[in-house]
Amino acid sequence: MSVDQFRAMMLREEDAKTVATVENLTVDALPGEDTLVKIEYSTINFKDALAVTGRGKIVKSWPLVPGIDLAGTVVESSNPRFKAGTKVVLTGWSVGEKYFGGFSQYQQVKSEWLVPLPEGLTTRQAMMVGTAGFTAMLCVNALERAGITPASGPVLVTGAAGGVGSVAVAILKKLGYQVVALTGDTAKHDYVATLGASEFADGPQWADQPRALEGQRWAAAIDTVGSKVLARVLAEMQYGGVVAACGLAGGADLPTSVMPFILRKVNLIGVDSVMLPTQDRIAAWNRVVHDLPIEMLEGISATTVSLDDVKSTAERMLDGKLKGRVLVDVNA
């Protein structure tokens, strides 16, 4: 199919630095996968911000169209499951890292990466969820599979004002859990409280290295931060507590000991949304529709930017100046 020129952000490496520009492309510049999608919305996740600014080693192939999420409409596909006009969503599969991603008005992707848009969601709402909300749902699933119920006790969510954290708070509240939030910024408390946090754990101790074991506080936790924060979360877990870890906003290190695991039977579960099998993705997306009601989804703070604003917005995200989700309207 012939498509006139369209706009996309392209990352190139020049003198060991990342250069991000918005350019006019044609379909011939795309990777030639089996499905062409007209994109309506993407998002800026923490990983996207690292890629666009060059502050993290995210990009695996140059040049690259970044954007690990996208939602839009199939234009054409050689896969009969995806007829022209089908609404789809894509997260993960190293798109926006190794393969061309969502910061473009059109993209060619492998059909096996796509999930049909769940009934009841618009493409904008799907990107309100995005990788961040999808990961939050996977974290909640992990806690439930490990036996955590609302009767187990308080659940701590770290990075609770961010993309994953804010959706996790909302889902947990909907399911009846007592949610305690760690935001790192008291100015964000009112916002997180509206999502369902009943109290906050913020304090100067989170910047310090914890002891091997601290006082027992949490039945479960969803951690998006890593490093010293995750070390303290582990040290403060109740006996038999469960932590679902999915992020490293505070660092990839984990300065802890075996003590929480062998003396308090703490379970640390890693959550990955990148290579999750397709059927598990479909199940998780369908659950999002049920457990994150539209009115609650719309209550999550969202900033919408154009392709031209992606780089400056990514800088603000890494500097901790944003809350909630950031949508990219690629056609704005």
Side-chain angles (χ1 to χ4, degrees):
M1 177 177 178
S2 176
V3 175
D4 292 335
Q5 283 191 340
F6 56 89
R7 302 179 78 230
M9 171 171 277
M10 188 69 76
L11 302 184
R12 291 185 170 84
E13 189 175 39
E14 298 180 7
D15 298 325
K17 294 182 179 180
T18 299
V19 178
T21 57
V22 177
E23 305 176 5
N24 290 323
L25 301 180
T26 64
V27 171
D28 290 342
L30 298 179
E33 304 294 359
D34 67 356
T35 302
L36 178 64
V37 177
K38 186 180 189 303
I39 300 173
E40 296 168 21
Y41 289 95
S42 184
T43 67
I44 303 177
N45 295 279
F46 188 78
K47 189 180 289 186
D48 296 315
L50 291 173
V52 169
T53 62
R55 292 200 205 176
K57 295 182 179 180
I58 301 299
V59 177
K60 307 296 192 301
S61 176
W62 304 93
L64 182 80
V65 174
I68 67 174
D69 294 341
L70 64 88
T73 304
V74 171
V75 176
E76 60 183 9
S77 178
S78 61
N79 186 335
R81 291 182 55 238
F82 294 99
K83 299 183 184 303
T86 303
K87 296 288 186 180
V88 291
V89 59
L90 189 157
T91 61
W93 301 115
S94 295
V95 168
E97 302 174 65
K98 184 178 179 180
Y99 307 106
F100 277 25
F103 294 171
S104 177
Q105 293 176 317
Y106 287 87
Q107 195 53 266
Q108 285 180 327
V109 299
K110 294 182 180 180
S111 55
E112 60 259 37
W113 295 342
L114 297 171
V115 172
L117 189 70
E119 187 175 349
L121 279 185
T122 65
T123 52
R124 180 183 183 278
Q125 290 165 342
M127 290 294 92
M128 281 283 292
V129 178
T131 288
F134 179 67
T135 302
M137 188 76 259
L138 295 177
C139 287
V140 174
N141 287 344
L143 297 184
E144 291 180 339
R145 285 196 300 270
I148 299 299
T149 70
S152 300
V155 179
L156 176 69
V157 177
T158 70
V164 177
S166 58
V167 179
V169 170
I171 293 174
L172 289 167
K173 173 63 175 178
K174 165 67 164 51
L175 295 174
Y177 288 87
Q178 177 190 350
V179 185
V180 182
L182 176 67
T183 67
D185 183 355
T186 57
K188 297 175 180 177
H189 283 190
D190 288 346
Y191 162 63
V192 178
T194 65
L195 299 177
S198 60
E199 57 184 288
F200 294 86
D202 292 282
Q205 73 274 16
W206 292 97
D208 299 332
Q209 177 64 39
R211 295 175 295 179
L213 294 174
E214 299 281 353
Q216 300 184 47
R217 303 181 68 185
W218 322 115
I222 293 175
D223 178 65
T224 69
V225 180
S227 195
K228 289 181 181 178
V229 168
L230 178 53
R232 180 168 291 278
V233 170
L234 291 167
E236 293 183 351
M237 296 305 296
Q238 296 175 7
Y239 187 88
V242 180
V243 180
C246 65
L248 43 68
D253 61 319
L254 181 54
T256 188
S257 73
V258 300
M259 302 291 272
F261 308 106
I262 64 174
L263 296 184
R264 289 187 181 164
K265 196 172 167 277
V266 171
N267 294 277
L268 176 60
I269 302 174
V271 175
D272 167 62
S273 64
V274 176
M275 303 306 293
L276 191 73
T278 299
Q279 289 306 309
D280 292 338
R281 289 175 184 275
I282 293 172
W285 271 107
N286 288 334
R287 189 176 178 194
V288 164
V289 177
H290 180 267
D291 288 331
L292 187 60
I294 298 304
E295 63 272 14
M296 195 172 293
L297 183 63
E298 295 298 340
I300 295 172
S301 179
T303 303
T304 302
V305 302
S306 69
L307 286 173
D308 296 309
D309 297 325
V310 165
K311 185 175 181 181
S312 61
T313 305
E315 296 280 3
R316 292 177 61 211
M317 177 177 285
L318 295 183
D319 291 340
K321 296 179 180 179
L322 298 176
K323 63 183 179 182
R325 305 287 287 125
V326 180
L327 304 184
V328 181
D329 182 346
V330 298
N331 299 299

